[in-house]
Amino acid sequence: NTLSVMHCMTKLSNIMQTGTIAVIGSVAGDRGRKSNYLYGASKAAIDTYTSGLRQKLANTGLHVMTIKPGFIESPMTRNMQKRCLWRTPKQIAPIIKHAILKQKRSIYVPSFWRYIMLVIKLMP
């Protein structure tokens, strides 16, 4: 969840001349929770690594983007109860594609997660 992503990003950044490396993290990396702190820690590490790599490559033709999805239907979330905050991969794919074309640095998908996580990070 962490080292393999970092390894792939490093390899790609060494062989690619132009383009975008888009990395899927998670909103879980914004704040640790007792129920999934290991997962959150791995996603926080990806976010920090991606930020540093983005800075390193700032003056090259290579762009690095972090994608922070909220609740997405997937095999990992198969047994969870789905509610209004959930999205499918087909729903978020166009948002991610648009962000890659606009060369965004970091995005929350759907975008309302930015505000949810802001509130959560401000809570004691």
Side-chain angles (χ1 to χ4, degrees), residues 75-86:
M76 186 179 87
T77 63
R78 171 179 49 245
N79 297 322
M80 297 173 121
Q81 185 177 15
K82 312 302 187 283
R83 296 219 168 117
C84 63
L85 298 177
W86 288 80

Side-chain angles (χ1 to χ4, degrees), residues 29-44:
D30 283 7
R31 176 147 185 198
R33 292 179 34 213
K34 66 180 178 180
S35 62
N36 69 348
Y37 63 91
L38 290 174
Y39 177 78
S42 73
K43 296 304 179 181

Side-chain angles (χ1 to χ4, degrees), residues 1-2 5 9 12 14 16 20 25 41 49 61 64 72 77-78 84 89 93 95-97 101 104 107 109 117-118 121:
N1 236 354
T2 307
V5 174
M9 289 171 62
L12 284 172
N14 289 332
M16 291 176 66
T20 300
Y49 181 83
V64 179
I72 306 299
T77 63
R78 171 179 49 245
C84 63
I95 300 166
I96 293 170
K97 180 180 176 182
L101 294 173
K104 299 284 186 179
I107 64 165
V109 284
M117 294 314 296
L118 175 64
K121 287 191 282 188

